[in-house]
Structures are given as structure tokens and as C-alpha cells.
Amino acid sequence: MAPFINDAVTSREAAVQENLSSYDRTWWKNGTVYQIYPSSFKDSNGDGIGDLPGIISRLDYIKSLGVDIIWLCPMYESPHVDNGYDVANYEGIHAPYGTLADMDALIQGCHEHGMRIIIDLVINHTSDQHQWFKESRSSRDHPKREWYIWKPARYTACGHREPPNNWRSYFGGSAWQWDETTQEYYLHLFAPEQPDLNWESEECRAAVYKSAMEFWLNKGVDGFRIDTVNMYSKTPGLPDAPVIDSTSEWQSAVVHHCNGPRMHEYLQEMNNKVLSRYDCMTVGELPSTPDQAKVLQYVSAREKQLNMVFQFDVVDIGQGRDQKYDTDPLAWTLPDFKKALLQSQRLISGTDGWTTAFLENHDQARSISRFGSNDDKYRSTSRKMLAIMLSALSGTLFIYQGQEIGMINMPGDWGIEEYKDVESSSYYRSVAERANGDQTVLSRALTAIQHLARDHARLPMQWDDSPNAGFTTGTPWMRTHDACKHINARSALADKSSLLHFWKRLLSLRKGHAEFMIHGNFEVYDMENLKTFTFTKVSASRTALIALNFSAEPQPWSKPLAIEGRLDMLVSNIQSPEESVLAPWEGRLYLVR
Ligand code: TEU
Ligand code: CA
């Protein structure tokens, strides 16, 4: 069923909007961001790994989507234990991706296409191959010793050596690694190959500002996505974490390493010493912060820290509270989803803060597989419904590579060997070590991985229906999805009714109606409805009403009583919708007259 966008209304509305100069036209508020995971985007030299020249070759395609900013995941020199989130040299490029000259060409190419580019700032930790860490671990007296977090062992009564506390790393096991040379442990919240930097050291912070930030701002990048932006300040003394799971030796220490006592001081210093000197954008990754007042402390303009953050309320849906994969990934409800969205959407109502709208990134499974329909009959309709919802949300909109063509999770019959990511592979290994061959335990772990693994976002971008989806002429580092036969950019560009063209129209609509699409206040109606999602976006002069059916059955629907006025259909994902019934996976956007 062809999508429906009422051109007559939209162009008339756009003209009206132009005269409404009431909304804030800051570029990083009104721009849409397109996130690129370099390993999986486009391989230009046939080695099976995406690279910078490959991205440059696709700038016309990216621009044609109607996006304004590119977010490039880490491209730095790295051993790639965590696919680049383990930086060995902030001022160097990962050799398989290309050279510094290629990076200069990409920055220039973006600007020539009228787009901006932000890069990933990974400064909670470095790689253990970074020169700073090599020096720090060389001796207890080295001047850089204090640039990382070193602690002596604890010993039990019978003399058994133990780590300094019970903190668990995000990738499983203890968050401490023993170093034979200097007979101490060092902290790593993530992999052992990702030692945490010690932000208490003013010298270390100054080196980060210079090498990881100024070096790139002076090369012309337009800002940063800041990795784990609330983890740099830990509880003094690094005390044991409260025991949440008595069956586990190691405990989640979120309470001691997220939103710590000096966190805002560090970010204000970073803003004062670096960011405030450039016209740049910052978006921080803010896990484990459900308290709105705390979130606002990071993004309120008067706090002079960050422009905006990614909150995890929506993307954590279906995940285990303490351990991501210890969960039934389908045990979530539509009210859970609505309440999670409310967390980030209401952040801007009556505040001087800003927010983000996203469903996918390189750490998340594909949104259609998680929140849409996996039934071929409804997949197309459901992904357009999700696109209508996302395009109507306030804040800066982020789209992840392949989301615009409706890429989906790996097939359920692919084995664990296809999951390359350190997070999923280390989790499965830890389960297998404890399972003693119990197939029930193993298949439960694999089911959770098949629903939630970060790997799903890292399959090669599907450019066409040729072998390896036009991503590489060689052997891709990750297996290409068989669905590339019918889900690929080339066929989407050729089909005017495709999701790709629908996204282009929605992005244009969002720009033309920014006052309520990007800046409007978000309000949910019928919150507890398990099948439909109805919300409004209200600005000074306009109200939009969005009605979505998250089910495969027709659902009765009526305009909320509190909303007065005539409904003017602006967008629908099906032809000739029936006013009082939402068809399966139908999405509608009305203007309220
Ligand atoms: O992610 C930080 C983080 O919190 C994630 O580990 C998240 O909890 C997990 O991915 C949910 O599945 C950032 C990067 O986005 C991630 O790719 C890195 O692995 C991590 O930091 C370490 O740099
Ligand atoms: Ca390559």
C-alpha cells in the first residue's frame, strides 16, 4: 500500500511555518544526524572492511537523504578489541580505514556537500596499546602512573590475592586486571584492553583536551558524540558495589561510576577550556540516569556542559536490569515504550535543555526487529509507522546507517559464531563456562543475544542485491544479511513507494514544520493502551496529532476528547485510512485545525 503524504497541505503549511520565526534555528537542534559505523558502511579496496574512501564515495547518497550532519564512529588507531572504542592514538587513523589525509578529505567532502561531521570522543578509557598506558604500566614511579587507576590487591585470610573491589565490567568478569610488572591491579569498566583513564589527574585531562579534542576541532570537525559521558568521576576510595545478585562474584557498580561527584566539574572545565572556543555540537551518551533533574544538569544551557544526551530508557526496553542478556527480551509492553519515550521528550518542556530522538545506533539491535513487525506481510507498513513516529519526535533526530532502508536483525538460525562483538561473545562464553552443557541455559542465552546483541547493527550496509550486498568485492568481516536481496539502497532508490523515499519525505516535512515537529511539546494520550500509541506535538501556533497501531490487528481509534478542532491528514503509511479504525501497523499524522 503506497504511503500518503498530503502535498497540498504540507507545502501550504511550510509557507506558514516560514513566517513563524518563533522557534530556535540553532543548526544542531534542527539538523538530522546520520550515524556511520566505518567497519560496516562501504569497503573501497576489497579487504572486506569498510573504510574512509568508501564513505566519501557515498556522500552524495547520504546528502540525498536530507540529513545534515554525519556522526562517524571511532576511526582512530586501535587494536579493535571493541571495534575502535579502544583508542591507541587519538591523532592517528585505524590503518584499514585509511589515512589522516583520507580523514581530511572526508571532513572537506562533508562540508562541500553542505553537511557537518561529528566524531566519537572516547575518553573514559584508552586502549592498553596507547603510549600513555604503556608508560603508566612501565613502573609505579612513572609520571604517567596516575593517568590511569591503579590499586594494590586485597588478600584473604589465607593469603589469596583479590582485586581491590567487587566491581563487574560491562563485558563480564572483574573490572580489575592484574599487572605482573608492577604488582598492582588497574581498573577497566569495559574490556581488560580498555584501561580507565584517571580524570582526577589534571595533567591527564589536559592531554585529553589537546590530543583527543583540539587536534580534531582544528582539523574542522563540527563536534563530538561523547562516549560514556557520565563515567569519568568515580566514588572516592572506589568502595565495593552493593550486592545485587548474590550468585555472582562481581557486581554492577553503576552507583559508583555513573554521575560521580566531580562529573559536572569536569564537563564544565571541558566546555570552558575547549568546546566554548568553537562553533561545535556535543551529544553525550548517558546510561543509567533515569532521574530527569540529573539529566537536565548535563544539558541545561546555563550549566555550560553538553548540548544534548542520549538517554537509554527506550533502547534498554526488554533488557535485563542488572545484566543486559539475563532477560526475556519480549517481556515489554507498549506503555513501557511510551513512558520511556516520555523521559527524553519531556526534558525540553519549560527548560533550557535539549534532547535527542533515536531508536538505533551501533550498540542496539535493529528497531524494526525489536519494535516493528517481523511478519513479511506487515514489515513494510510497520517500518513506515516507526518512521512516522520517530520523525515527529522533538529534539535532534539521529538515524543509524541502514535504518533508512529498513535493515533487520541477523536471521534467527545464524549460530553464535556470527556474533563477533566483545559484549555478546564474552557473555555467551561466560554462560557456557557455567552451564555444564545444559542446552536450556545455552539456548536461553542465545535467544537473548539473537534479540538484543549489538552485532545486529554491524552487519554490512546493504547497497544492492549482489553478493555481499555491494558492500565489498572481497570477503566481508561480518556475514552479509541474505535479506539484501530485497532490502537494499539501490532497489529502494528505484521504488518511489519505498521506506527510503518515505524517510526523505518525512525529513523534509520535519524541516518544513520544525516548530512542532522538532520543537513542539510532547503529550501522550491513552497511555495504558497496549496496542495503540496516540500523542500530540504542540507549539505556539500549531498542534499535530499522531496515531500509531503497534499491532497486527485493526484497532478502534478516536480523536482524544481533550483535542478540539478538525483533523487535517498530513501523513499516513497506508492509502485511504478509515477514520475510526487504525489498520494493522498503521501510522497517521494529523494537523489539528
Ligand atoms: O557504550 C557504553 C555503554 O554503556 C554500552 O556498553 C551499553 O551499555 C551497551 O552497549 C548496551 O548494550 C559505549 C559505546 O557505545 C560502546 O560501543 C562501547 O563498547 C563502550 O562505550 C565502551 O567504549
Ligand atoms: Ca577496506
Side-chain angles (χ1 to χ4, degrees), residues 42 86 233 299 435 505:
K42 176 64 185 157
D86 46 325
S233 170
V299 298
R505 304 293 303 280

Side-chain angles (χ1 to χ4, degrees), residues 42-51 96:
K42 176 64 185 157
D43 170 22
S44 70
N45 63 351
D47 66 357
I49 301 168
D51 46 53

Side-chain angles (χ1 to χ4, degrees), residues 166-326:
N166 65 353
W167 294 11
R168 181 183 74 222
S169 113
Y170 277 93
F171 298 148
S174 168
W176 295 91
Q177 180 71 18
W178 178 250
D179 177 65
E180 274 305 324
T181 310
T182 55
Q183 294 289 298
E184 282 192 328
Y185 281 93
Y186 65 83
L187 178 68
H188 60 87
L189 293 182
F190 293 92
E193 297 85 350
Q194 292 171 289
D196 277 51
L197 286 165
N198 174 20
W199 274 69
E200 300 285 337
S201 157
E202 193 169 349
E203 231 184 55
C204 172
R205 299 202 303 272
V208 165
Y209 299 156
K210 182 172 179 295
S211 176
M213 299 179 75
E214 287 168 356
F215 177 83
W216 288 105
L217 287 166
N218 293 335
K219 276 181 158 302
V221 303
D222 301 286
F224 301 102
R225 175 268 188 184
I226 308 180
D227 196 55
T228 62
V229 78
N230 59 343
M231 295 191 187
Y232 313 156
S233 170
K234 278 76 170 172
T235 303
L238 309 181
D240 272 339
V243 176
I244 298 175
D245 169 1
S246 55
T247 65
S248 170
E249 193 179 359
W250 313 109
Q251 299 298 323
S252 163
V254 161
V255 67
H256 290 316
H257 66 244
C258 280
N259 310 316
R262 299 185 66 184
M263 201 51 246
H264 297 292
E265 173 201 334
Y266 294 152
L267 291 177
Q268 280 167 347
E269 179 187 80
M270 178 195 285
N271 192 302
N272 177 43
K273 289 190 172 178
V274 183
L275 299 170
S276 57
R277 294 172 24 229
Y278 300 83
D279 173 18
C280 65
M281 159 186 174
T282 51
V283 50
E285 180 198 30
L286 192 75
S288 309
T289 310
D291 178 341
Q292 286 298 302
K294 278 192 177 176
V295 178
L296 203 51
Q297 257 197 295
Y298 288 96
V299 298
S300 158
R302 62 175 164 272
E303 292 288 346
K304 294 188 179 10
Q305 293 176 41
L306 305 170
N307 297 138
M308 63 194 96
V309 293
F310 296 125
Q311 293 165 254
F312 277 54
D313 308 89
V314 173
V315 291
D316 278 353
I317 279 183
Q319 296 187 7
R321 279 275 163 273
D322 176 37
Q323 217 303 339
K324 169 178 177 179
Y325 293 112
D326 284 351

Side-chain angles (χ1 to χ4, degrees), residues 89-165:
N89 175 7
Y90 290 107
E91 300 180 23
I93 301 296
H94 183 51
Y97 286 170
T99 64
L100 278 171
D102 291 323
M103 191 59 200
D104 289 337
L106 175 58
I107 295 167
Q108 187 183 344
C110 287
H111 292 162
E112 285 168 356
H113 279 75
M115 295 190 289
R116 288 180 165 95
I117 178 169
I118 67 172
I119 58 177
D120 228 302
L121 187 59
V122 188
I123 50 176
N124 172 69
H125 46 270
T126 66
S127 160
D128 61 351
Q129 299 308 306
H130 197 293
Q131 188 54 26
W132 296 348
F133 187 67
K134 288 180 178 175
E135 293 175 30
S136 178
R137 76 180 314 169
S138 64
S139 96
R140 290 194 190 185
D141 310 324
H142 191 285
K144 287 198 177 67
R145 185 68 173 182
E146 61 151 18
W147 286 30
Y148 291 84
I149 300 174
W150 293 94
K151 290 285 176 211
R154 286 191 298 197
Y155 289 89
T156 61
C158 54
H160 177 66
R161 186 184 72 217
E162 288 190 336
N165 64 30

